Amino acid sequence: DNLALVTSLLYFGSRQASSFQNSSFTGVDGMGNPIFITYPSERVNTTMRVGAQVGINYYRWIGKRFAIVGFMGLSGGFLRNTQSLTPPPFPTSAPWSGAANGFFLQATLSPSLAYALSERWLLTASFGSLFFSYNEVNQAEEFRQNSSLWALSGSVNSSFQASLSSGLSLGFTYFLPDNFAAQLLLELTVA
């Protein structure tokens, strides 16, 4: 009665754009001095993660309305990082952009609190987590050829983190008939 199987679909997306002045060599003047032109450029980085999560919630009730909830789960999926530079730093027929693809795996243990508003409604709040993550990204061929697109290199990394400030999730859980539940979460992440 105090256990709940949790399944989730995960999506994360971000886009970061930065503008700067770029210069390009155009030739030499009559005295042999190099000629450069300066023009504005924009670099756009995007990140996308798509995956799924499976886990278990354990409810430890304190009285009739409050519960301490422990979540243990595994998640994984695919990630894609893209980068583009507009206009490119020298004339080229192909756009200066590309993508690096990979995958991620994560094991999570996180605490939360629940308050029973009624027999079917719970108000939930979780704060921080303890997790181990593994990411592997394959460097795109475009970025081996264009060294200025340095942000998308291939990598393999793992980390173990514990934090109470990594995120705050607020939500509602509604228990459907026949022991099923639906949950709506609003997650705020502190970087």
Side-chain angles (χ1 to χ4, degrees):
D1 289 341
N2 293 325
L3 292 175
L5 178 65
V6 178
T7 59
S8 305
L9 296 177
L10 307 172
Y11 173 80
F12 169 81
S14 70
R15 181 182 188 274
Q16 182 181 18
S18 58
S19 298
F20 58 95
Q21 292 294 315
N22 208 346
S23 63
S24 181
F25 175 75
T26 61
V28 293
D29 63 14
M31 300 181 67
N33 297 318
I35 301 172
F36 291 93
I37 59 167
T38 301
Y39 56 92
S41 287
E42 180 181 50
R43 185 186 305 264
V44 178
N45 298 316
T46 62
T47 300
M48 181 185 71
R49 289 178 177 237
V50 177
Q53 182 177 57
V54 176
I56 295 174
N57 272 345
Y58 174 74
Y59 295 87
R60 177 72 177 163
W61 290 96
I62 302 170
K64 292 184 178 182
R65 297 226 178 241
F66 284 99
I68 297 172
V69 184
F71 172 76
M72 182 174 57
L74 295 172
S75 58
F78 300 97
L79 60 90
R80 181 178 179 88
N81 299 327
T82 63
Q83 187 177 96
S84 64
L85 183 62
T86 310
F90 50 80
T92 178
S93 59
W96 212 353
S97 65
N101 299 306
F103 68 92
F104 68 94
L105 297 171
Q106 183 168 309
T108 304
L109 181 64
S110 64
S112 61
L113 298 173
Y115 177 74
L117 299 170
S118 69
E119 284 186 16
R120 295 205 181 268
W121 284 97
L122 284 181
L123 175 64
T124 60
S126 66
F127 42 90
S129 61
L130 177 70
F131 64 88
F132 173 80
S133 65
Y134 177 85
N135 298 292
E136 185 170 318
V137 179
N138 298 316
Q139 184 179 24
E141 182 63 32
E142 302 94 307
F143 303 115
R144 289 192 199 97
Q145 296 170 2
N146 299 323
S147 60
S148 291
L149 293 175
W150 47 268
L152 285 183
S153 60
S155 65
V156 174
N157 61 58
S158 61
S159 64
F160 179 77
Q161 297 180 5
S163 175
L164 291 179
S165 63
S166 64
L168 171 67
S169 295
L170 300 173
F172 291 98
T173 300
Y174 178 72
F175 291 99
L176 301 168
D178 299 324
N179 296 324
F180 286 98
Q183 189 171 40
L184 173 66
L185 290 177
L186 171 64
E187 185 164 336
L188 306 171
T189 301
V190 179

